[in-house]
Amino acid sequence: MKWLKRLGILILCLPAALAVIWVAYEIWGMCANHMATRKQTGALQANLEREIPDIEIISVDSETGNTSGTGNHVDCLSWVVFSTEMEEMEIQDCMSKYYVFDEWSCDVDKRDDGYYKIYVNTSAPFADNIEGH
């Protein structure tokens, strides 16, 4: 009779334990996605500084989440605003060994204020995380 009671308690506790495991997995996924975004942003800044000799970085920023608003997925979006004497095509040529410029995953634009903005958008390691919903 004792084993039946223990089995009943185990069956009753199982949904709560599974919920805790699921929440922990989602939190772990969020942390991993944010770490990947930080790494991507750091790499973008380092690549720019390595390839463009006269660069002056104005701002560096990033975002992790559903950046496009289309569907349930998580993206890692990084962007850097900078100034240089180089032209847009020269910047693309310098950075093409690191990134593919296709206007979705990476692009560089000259803004109205004269600064350039380059962004990199990739899928997060945990792309189906709750953060993208």
Side-chain angles (χ1 to χ4, degrees):
M1 191 59 130
K2 239 183 192 181
W3 65 270
L4 192 57
K5 193 182 225 183
R6 288 181 183 163
L7 182 64
I9 291 172
L10 179 68
I11 289 172
L12 288 174
C13 291
L14 192 59
L18 291 175
V20 167
I21 291 169
W22 180 77
V23 168
Y25 176 76
E26 290 295 323
I27 291 171
W28 166 254
M30 289 172 60
C31 292
N33 289 344
H34 284 270
M35 286 188 299
T37 302
R38 279 193 299 277
K39 182 178 177 182
Q40 173 180 287
T41 304
L44 175 61
Q45 183 176 357
N47 292 339
L48 283 167
E49 290 172 341
R50 184 180 310 114
E51 296 298 326
I52 302 174
D54 67 334
I55 192 167
E56 180 185 336
I57 294 186
I58 308 302
S59 68
V60 179
D61 211 347
S62 64
E63 182 179 333
T64 306
N66 188 345
T67 59
S68 67
T70 57
N72 298 331
H73 64 281
V74 181
D75 296 319
C76 299
L77 177 62
S78 306
W79 66 92
V80 176
V81 177
F82 62 96
S83 66
T84 182
E85 293 298 318
M86 296 175 78
E87 294 297 319
E88 193 172 321
M89 290 307 296
E90 291 176 300
I91 296 168
Q92 283 187 3
D93 289 342
C94 288
M95 300 301 290
S96 64
K97 60 181 154 185
Y98 305 107
Y99 308 106
V100 175
F101 289 86
D102 61 2
E103 294 183 8
W104 173 250
S105 61
C106 184
D107 199 19
V108 62
D109 293 314
K110 188 163 189 171
R111 303 181 342 168
D112 293 337
D113 58 7
Y115 296 129
Y116 289 100
K117 178 180 181 180
I118 187 170
Y119 70 85
V120 175
N121 188 15
T122 60
S123 183
F126 291 84
D128 195 29
N129 190 270
I130 192 75
E131 193 172 25
H133 295 258

